[in-house]
Amino acid sequence: MRKLVLLALVGLGAQLVDGSLGMAYGVTSTTLLLAIGTNPAAASATVHLAEIGTTLVSGASHWKFGNVDWPVVLKIGVPGAVGAFAGATFLSNLSTETAEPIMSLVLLALGVYVLTRFTLWGLRTSNLGKPLRKRFLSPLGLVAGFVDATGGGGWGPVGTPAILSSGRLEPRKVIGSVDTAEFLVSIAASIGFLAALGSKGIDSGWVAALLIGGAVAAPVAAWLVRHIPPRILGSLVGGIIIVTNSRTLLKSDWIDAADGTRYAVYAVLYAVWAAAVAYSVRAWRRSEAVAPSPSPSEQETVSA
């Protein structure tokens, strides 16, 4: 029972981050499942089954708050579903001994990307209003879907920063559209895993716990996306993913590091993580200090 409550809390926290930042539900939840000894393919399958429900609620919530660009959803979501099915099939045919360090390596790379991307550059908002082409979104969706299924997460870390970096769509609509398109990706990945694995290693109670926690958080996250500083959140989440998956890799047969080596690495990672978060906070405060104050008419509009 304690494990189910923990999973529900993880689902809630992961969805708060995912719905606010457009990434990290899958990588956060899968990282936890791997840490407690779940088979990599079963871990990814569990998370994607839960995401069918959480992404449906999240997408509906983002749509309600006006955070969704439907043409973008279709252009990235359909090829994303194709990539996710292929990735699920690929991961299901790997042995556990091979899959676990590979998945942790993928998650570690995604964590490094998230940490550096949001710590050093924040969010780009130039070029707003210019169209996003299908020739850009379709390959992006295909790659992001494949990475998402094989890594147990990655749809957001690959898709969201790529679209944000184009500066052509306002951040809240990037996050809302990527989250909504993930519903198609989750369905395709789940079908791929179930076709290859059946229900082997998938605990329905764990799926339900992750789903319930995520569903509770989804409407709150869709509202928070207008208010929470994504730069700081990105640094926090990136650090969590890096530290947790570094632990898995250091203990794997690939490395099998001694205790002293592992603790030294952990100390360095925690120090870098703390410095990254502190830098993000300072950068966000500087940007807030130089941002123009709203005019009286704008203040009246906001209060209304």
Side-chain angles (χ1 to χ4, degrees):
M1 185 64 186
R2 289 176 60 187
K3 185 174 286 187
L4 291 178
V5 172
L6 174 62
L7 286 169
L9 291 174
V10 168
L12 188 149
Q15 185 57 47
L16 275 175
V17 173
D18 188 274
S20 304
L21 191 59
M23 65 181 73
Y25 181 91
V27 290
T28 303
S29 302
T30 303
T31 292
L32 173 71
L33 292 178
L34 286 178
I36 61 178
T38 308
N39 174 287
S44 187
T46 299
V47 170
H48 282 93
L49 283 167
E51 281 185 322
I52 292 176
T54 60
T55 54
L56 179 61
V57 176
S58 181
S61 301
H62 277 297
W63 171 68
K64 179 180 178 181
F65 285 102
N67 298 336
V68 178
D69 185 308
W70 289 105
V72 171
V73 170
L74 293 176
K75 289 175 184 177
I76 195 173
V78 174
V82 175
F85 183 86
T89 304
F90 172 77
L91 182 62
S92 299
N93 289 314
L94 289 179
S95 67
T96 301
E97 292 75 14
T98 302
E100 184 171 1
I102 289 176
M103 181 182 285
S104 292
L105 195 59
V106 171
L107 291 170
L108 177 62
L110 291 172
V112 171
Y113 181 79
V114 171
L115 181 71
T116 55
R117 178 70 180 83
F118 284 89
T119 299
L120 298 179
W121 296 288
L123 297 176
R124 181 182 175 187
T125 57
S126 59
N127 298 322
L128 284 176
K130 295 182 180 179
L132 284 161
R133 303 295 185 185
K134 188 175 180 179
R135 63 175 178 266
F136 166 67
L137 292 175
S138 294
L140 176 63
L142 191 68
V143 172
F146 185 86
V147 171
D148 187 78
T150 54
W155 174 253
V158 174
T160 300
I163 301 177
L164 283 173
S165 66
S166 73
R168 299 190 173 207
L169 192 65
E170 56 184 304
R172 67 182 181 89
K173 287 196 173 183
V174 174
I175 293 168
S177 301
V178 170
D179 265 15
T180 303
E182 194 171 10
F183 175 67
L184 301 175
V185 174
S186 300
I187 291 177
S190 298
I191 292 173
F193 282 120
L194 291 174
L197 299 174
S199 58
K200 181 181 178 183
I202 301 174
D203 189 314
S204 59
W206 292 12
V207 173
L210 287 171
L211 194 160
I212 291 169
V216 169
V220 180
W223 177 80
L224 280 175
V225 73
R226 295 170 177 258
H227 306 284
I228 198 166
R231 183 167 194 163
I232 298 172
L233 195 55
S235 297
L236 288 168
V237 173
I240 292 172
I241 296 167
I242 290 170
V243 169
T244 308
N245 287 286
S246 294
R247 176 179 176 273
T248 301
L249 283 170
L250 289 170
K251 286 187 171 183
S252 71
D253 291 338
W254 283 12
I255 301 176
D256 192 22
D259 288 348
T261 302
R262 286 191 287 110
Y263 295 146
V265 172
Y266 298 156
V268 172
L269 291 177
Y270 280 119
V272 171
W273 184 16
V277 172
Y279 182 88
S280 292
V281 171
R282 288 196 300 270
W284 175 71
R285 285 178 175 172
R286 284 197 302 269
S287 66
E288 288 294 294
V290 300
S293 302
S295 64
S297 61
E298 289 175 327
Q299 289 178 336
E300 291 175 5
T301 302
V302 171
S303 62

